[in-house]
Amino acid sequence: MKELNISDIRIDGGTQIRKKLNLDKVNEYAQQMDDGIEFPPITVFFDGSSTWLAEGFHRLSSERQRGSITIKAIVINGTIEDATLFALGSNKHGLNMSAEDYRRSIDIMLKHHKWSTWSNAQIAAHVGVSASTVARVKKDSNTKPADKVTYTDKHGNESTMDTSKIGKKKPKDKPKDKPTKDPTNAPSSTTSSTYSPEEEKLQELMDTITNLANENTVFRDKIAIGQWDASEIEKIDAQETIENLREQVRILEIDNQALRESRDMFQNRNAELIKSVNSLKKKLQKAE
């Protein structure tokens, strides 16, 4: 640890990951420093000519606000790129990052020529979010996945995997339309003209109950997510994931209903065919 001149420390190299400093926190730190509370040293990277701040932007601002000339720092030999990578992974403690800050961190890594080749899990572990969050940011930012991804196995060996063909499948034949009930056997449930006034009123009440139940489910999800000890960006992603899963369940239930109707239709036709076969057998026996 060294005592560095504050004027020698550079903060203009893009190593500040947060979009902006929290001025209230800067003032709070400055007051605590005036009260004699000792803060941990900041972390800087020295590339041979410049000293780049990698961790401790709020502490440095507080010392400047107090008019301090020097500050205690841990000095690491490395480039501005090393300082940026360190900064991207150093915000898991202290002042919480905002959802926008986390997205900014992930976006920085996805746009870097080397870090973009990391797997979603590696980026997530470094930034301090979930792999699904990284995947969502990657999708939202329309960032093209790297054709090659580097990863580290359980033995600590770094390897490269070609991902250019992952997820690419040969086009399949268009599926045939699912059979539906014979319209001559049963009236369509979607034709409002077949409903009597009493049935229409009942249907309206059922729709209201369904909507209220759906709203109740949404509220329960939001309460559960709000009580979850996670970052804001992970809560947002969890909410979106839950909504997507519920929509998938709804679609699957519709498909399942169509399959049940198709099954019932084929069973009825099968029963009619059996009757026809039995009738033909009896006629054949009489003819003999």
Side-chain angles (χ1 to χ4, degrees), residues 4-179:
L4 300 180
N5 288 328
I6 291 179
S7 60
D8 292 336
I9 300 173
R10 298 187 60 176
I11 60 173
D12 59 338
T15 57
Q16 165 62 295
I17 304 306
R18 299 178 191 271
K19 185 176 181 180
K20 60 182 179 180
L21 293 179
N22 186 320
L23 297 182
D24 291 336
K25 186 60 64 175
V26 171
N27 294 331
E28 178 185 335
Y29 285 177
Q31 182 60 53
Q32 291 175 348
M33 291 172 181
D34 288 339
D35 293 339
I37 297 178
E38 186 173 349
F39 281 73
I42 63 174
T43 302
V44 300
F45 279 70
F46 181 65
D47 62 6
S49 60
S50 297
T51 302
W52 303 100
L53 180 60
E55 180 186 45
F57 285 86
H58 285 89
R59 280 167 279 166
L60 181 65
S61 295
S62 298
E63 291 287 14
R64 281 179 170 169
Q65 179 174 302
R66 298 175 65 237
S68 301
I69 304 300
T70 62
I71 189 172
K72 292 180 180 179
I74 296 173
V75 182
I76 302 173
N77 290 326
T79 64
I80 187 174
E81 184 179 54
D82 297 328
T84 303
L85 183 60
F86 183 92
L88 286 164
S90 67
N91 288 296
K92 302 182 182 69
H93 308 287
L95 181 63
N96 291 333
M97 296 265 283
S98 67
E100 187 176 9
D101 291 335
Y102 277 119
R103 289 184 183 274
R104 172 181 165 86
S105 299
I106 297 170
D107 197 51
I108 289 173
M109 297 198 72
L110 292 177
K111 291 179 179 178
H112 190 270
H113 68 281
K114 181 178 180 181
W115 307 331
S116 61
T117 64
W118 291 13
S119 66
N120 289 352
Q122 284 179 304
I123 294 176
H126 188 75
V127 173
V129 296
S130 65
S132 61
T133 297
V134 176
R136 191 175 302 280
V137 173
K138 183 182 292 184
K139 180 180 179 180
D140 292 343
S141 62
N142 296 320
T143 303
K144 181 182 178 181
D147 289 339
K148 294 184 178 180
V149 173
T150 60
Y151 64 95
T152 304
D153 60 24
K154 63 181 180 179
H155 303 295
N157 300 318
E158 187 175 281
S159 303
T160 302
M161 177 174 61
D162 185 359
T163 61
S164 59
K165 296 182 180 179
I166 292 180
K168 295 181 179 179
K169 299 179 180 180
K170 293 182 178 180
K172 296 181 179 180
D173 295 335
K174 183 178 180 181
K176 296 181 179 179
D177 294 336
K178 296 178 181 178

Side-chain angles (χ1 to χ4, degrees), residues 186-250:
S188 172
S189 60
T190 59
T191 305
S192 59
S193 61
T194 62
Y195 286 148
S196 66
E198 292 79 10
E199 290 174 329
E200 289 183 356
K201 185 64 176 178
L202 179 60
Q203 184 64 40
E204 181 179 344
L205 290 173
M206 291 177 63
D207 291 341
T208 301
I209 293 173
T210 300
N211 292 334
L212 289 174
N214 291 336
E215 290 181 7
N216 187 38
T217 299
V218 171
F219 287 141
R220 287 203 307 269
D221 291 341
K222 289 184 177 179
I223 291 173
I225 292 173
Q227 294 176 342
W228 180 31
D229 183 16
S231 65
E232 285 301 316
I233 189 171
E234 289 180 312
K235 290 181 180 180
I236 293 172
D237 288 336
Q239 179 67 36
E240 292 177 355
T241 300
I242 290 173
E243 291 175 357
N244 290 335
L245 289 174
R246 290 196 186 282
E247 178 63 16
Q248 291 178 27
V249 169
R250 186 185 70 82

